[in-house]
Amino acid sequence: MTMFDTVLVANRGEIAVRVIRTLRELGVRSVAVFSDADADARHVREADTAVRIGPAPAAASYLNVPALLDAARHTGAQAVHPGYGFLAENAGFAQACADAGLVFIGPPASAISLMGDKIRAKETVAAAGVPVVPGSSGSGLSDAQLADAARGIGMPVLLKPSAGGGGKGMRLVRDEALLADEIAAARREARGSFGDDTLLVERWVDRPRHIEIQVLADAHGNVVHLGERECSLQRRHQKIIEEAPSVLLDEKTRTAMGEAAVQAARSCGYVGAGTVEFIVPGNDPASYYFMEMNTRLQVEHPVTELITGIDLVEWQLRVASGEQLPYAQQDVTLTGHAIEARICAEDAARGFLPSGGTVLSLREPNGHGVRTDSGLVEGVEVGSLYDPMLSKVIVHGPDRATALRRLRAALSELVILGVPTNAGFLRRLLAHPAVVAGELDTGLVERAVDGLVPEGVPEEVYAAAALLRQPAAGDSSGWADPFSAADGWRLGGTPARTVRHFRLPGHDPVQVSVRTCPAGTELTFGHVGECAPPTPATGACGPLAPLPGGRETARVVDVSAHRLTFELAGVTHTFTHTSSPEGNWLGRDGDTWHVQDHDPVEASLTGAGRSGADTLAAPMPGTVTVVKVAVGDEVVAGQSLLVVEAMKMEHVISAPHAGTVTELDVTAGTTVAMDQVLAVVVPNEEEA
């Protein structure tokens, strides 16, 4: 069988862009699909042709099997590549492709079905001699049966959806009293992510390491493994940093785990690229347990590509077209070390809640040993409908220490302004002593997180915003014409001060007083005070009472359309910047800040930005999926009132204190913006 002429890529974002890149290198025509939300997306621009398949919600577009098959038929595609995520592990989709005369670039539907059911998968590989994690047996367990199984195993336990993967719906339960609530929440997430709320329960291994083995199999009975990946750096059961090879395994253990992975693949008649995932006790690397098999390409596959020199997408295509693998196990060699960082639309300063916005400025790292897989372009809108991962930065080096340094440097070079991301957090995580030493486990990030998220906003961020507002900021010579600067300068007098008010989401407003002087620009920082009582004559707020703050002199060293360098208190700072309708975006070393203009008088008069202990606001842009109360209801402190979902993640909104719901501004299905008021709970008089 010859290579395909045309392949439809049934995915979006960086996933589709990655697949399209290999199709282009092989001379294969690519067909992209897109929803209304992705009409101008990068994967649409880079494909040879593209087909609209429906409105923005994934259920009506990227998960719409008839629309995908129609797109393939109308464009003359002979095969469909599902990417990873969406329908990549959907046996029904694989079978529908086969029934339509299309080649599904992945394993047979029977293998997807078997390994997609985690309960059957464990039973199958156990019969093949692969060690498995102790847990519940049987499918279709009721809530009560799951709870009984959890009690029988003993706390802590891990609830897992039988279908799907990627950490969605997984819940670690340490307190038996919380089982009912956690089972209900896990079912909701599993049903929303995979259309199947079947759960299983497993023993939780404290301080485990997550090691996975990449396998590659053809239709002629040949199966090889391509070494392991260490995926232990996780947050909320989601991988954020992956590397290959693992520093934990010696050659003997690597060989044994690789052989177990090959045996697992053979047990289900696997064909194509897949991943067998193991959990390994951190204090006993010789012990390992099968967790699941991902019957698709993994997000982290680039690290395997960089240490083996094998393009996994290319071999997915070649295997699907009938070719045999050209090498045996002894031909596979691992060279150097590779590490990947997942760049996600989330705000570390706000508890890693999903973020969104428009990409206003973009600069992605490249260079020796650096690869970026990305779905971003300037101007693209990042919404709350799809997965939060935007791109991946991957590096390769001769050894692990070099790879770590290169990745930290690459993340410092990454600029994404307009959408908060986790890039700065990942850069700091890679410098954590335990990470540098290779002493990893799946709970490390959660234990270390407080020390990796800076408190507050650096003073120089507000200084940069104030300097960018100065008319003379564009002159890098250090001299400003006093007659052209709108700063109140006058002959024989003291220059007047210009007062700027700024605010960042989640932080109190800040006042910066600006005055031009011979040494540079004098900046005085302070918090915005309370608005004085309204004056009888106008009814408007009286003068603001700013709180005192520090005073520093800044000197602009260089400024351009997207870069600002200045000296403040003897230290030079450099930021990338771009303007937004609300103010300025600033970036440095992977971190970003949206410094917005703030009018304290208007805010006081209109109630904009309303906050307080009684007010419950949306912590992220998303959709209200559950409303459990009504106006007039009495609630207790900590009671769950609403659930907001964004980017496949649920966030429970709880009562801040006991009281009465006096305002409820949303219903189930309401789309909300970040910081939008959802409800108000007023304490009862006897508790106030």
Side-chain angles (χ1 to χ4, degrees), residues 504-530:
L504 274 77
H507 298 276
D508 292 332
V510 166
Q511 173 180 283
V512 182
S513 176
V514 183
R515 183 173 69 90
T516 302
C517 58
T521 303
E522 186 182 84
L523 305 174
T524 305
F525 303 91
H527 292 290
V528 175
E530 294 293 330

Side-chain angles (χ1 to χ4, degrees), residues 299-344:
V299 173
E300 57 271 23
H301 75 274
V303 295
T304 296
E305 293 183 325
L306 291 178
I307 66 168
T308 62
I310 296 171
D311 185 323
L312 287 169
V313 175
E314 176 181 348
W315 275 102
Q316 282 187 300
L317 292 161
R318 292 190 181 280
V319 165
S321 67
E323 290 189 32
Q324 293 190 53
L325 297 179
Y327 35 73
Q329 188 61 60
Q330 61 267 24
D331 300 321
V332 177
T333 58
L334 311 181
T335 304
H337 202 94
I339 312 178
E340 171 183 291
R342 300 189 186 194
I343 308 302
C344 297

